Amino acid sequence: MPAPLQTGTFLISSIGLEDPTFTRTVILLLKHHPEEVTLGVIINRPLGEHLKMYPSDELKNLANGLESGRQSSGMFYRGGPVEPSSLIFLHRIISASEDSTCIVEGLYAGGDLDLLRTNMAVIDDNIPLLRFYLGFANWAPGQLENEISVGAWILCPANVDLVFSEEPDIVWQKALHSLGGKYAPMSFIPEDPRLN
């Protein structure tokens, strides 16, 4: 395996994965306890037009003061099919990481949004620092291991810059290509095989 199955690992969906929910997705594992539960969020599915399915006032209030020079709509992603109204957020603001969970170095989950707002107000940075995910993906004990054993997922070390990529449409290709070897050529296979 290219990376261990643990918190902070990317799951890259394989080309053969048939579930359309996960076609060409990259999932960041936020929690992996083999005897309990594995939980992650899809990092490359922006809400885009689906944003209007959620109460816009709530989302605007949530993003207020957190945009970092970006439109707030670009901060919201579909994290997965489970509990789509639940909210998980990831950030890379070390000065606001005290109440957060460190996923990998430089990447944190959750915490105090007011503390994030305070810190983002003084950070003069033009890179995305925060993402919100509505919903998540999870697996029962042994389920993910079984899916990996049949080739549904490819494990890859997490890359913080890919989590916050401003080009989510190519995150799957970039993650796969980063593994090199036999995976690099796979990253060039078009989604529609008729275009090959």
Side-chain angles (χ1 to χ4, degrees):
M1 279 191 284
L5 179 55
Q6 63 187 20
T7 298
T9 295
F10 279 161
L11 298 178
I12 304 170
S13 65
S14 73
I15 292 170
L17 187 64
E18 293 181 7
D19 184 342
T21 304
F22 297 109
T23 300
R24 296 206 176 211
T25 56
V26 176
I27 294 177
L28 173 67
L29 291 183
L30 303 179
K31 190 183 289 184
H32 175 65
H33 298 293
E35 305 305 317
E36 297 171 25
V37 68
T38 298
L39 182 141
V41 289
I42 299 169
I43 63 162
N44 62 327
R45 286 281 196 275
L47 272 179
E49 63 194 41
H50 297 284
L51 197 61
K52 58 184 171 236
M53 293 167 45
Y54 296 88
S56 61
D57 289 347
E58 272 183 50
L59 296 183
K60 280 180 190 166
N61 288 339
L62 197 58
N64 185 31
L66 295 168
E67 291 91 343
S68 182
R70 308 279 173 209
Q71 287 190 1
S72 60
S73 62
M75 297 172 67
F76 292 95
Y77 282 67
R78 285 183 287 165
V82 180
E83 295 184 30
S85 61
S86 68
L87 181 79
I88 294 172
F89 60 94
L90 299 175
H91 66 90
R92 53 177 163 190
I93 305 171
I94 194 163
S95 55
S97 64
E98 192 175 304
D99 295 327
S100 305
T101 301
C102 182
I103 303 302
V104 294
E105 186 178 343
L107 179 63
Y108 308 93
D112 182 338
L113 278 174
D114 288 330
L115 183 59
L116 282 170
R117 280 186 185 89
T118 303
N119 279 273
M120 287 181 78
V122 296
I123 294 173
D124 184 22
D125 208 335
N126 205 25
I127 61 168
L129 300 169
L130 174 73
R131 290 272 162 86
F132 292 104
Y133 301 88
L134 293 158
F136 55 90
N138 72 348
W139 294 263
Q143 182 184 358
L144 180 56
E145 289 83 349
N146 289 340
E147 291 179 16
I148 292 167
S149 72
V150 297
W153 301 100
I154 300 159
L155 281 72
C156 174
N159 175 313
V160 178
D161 289 333
L162 277 185
V163 172
F164 294 97
S165 173
E166 295 182 81
E167 298 178 291
D169 291 348
I170 60 172
V171 163
W172 181 84
Q173 288 88 343
K174 283 188 167 187
L176 202 53
H177 194 268
S178 74
L179 291 171
K182 67 180 181 181
Y183 301 106
M186 288 170 57
S187 70
F188 295 107
I189 297 172
E191 191 164 352
D192 184 344
R194 293 173 296 183
L195 300 176
N196 200 359

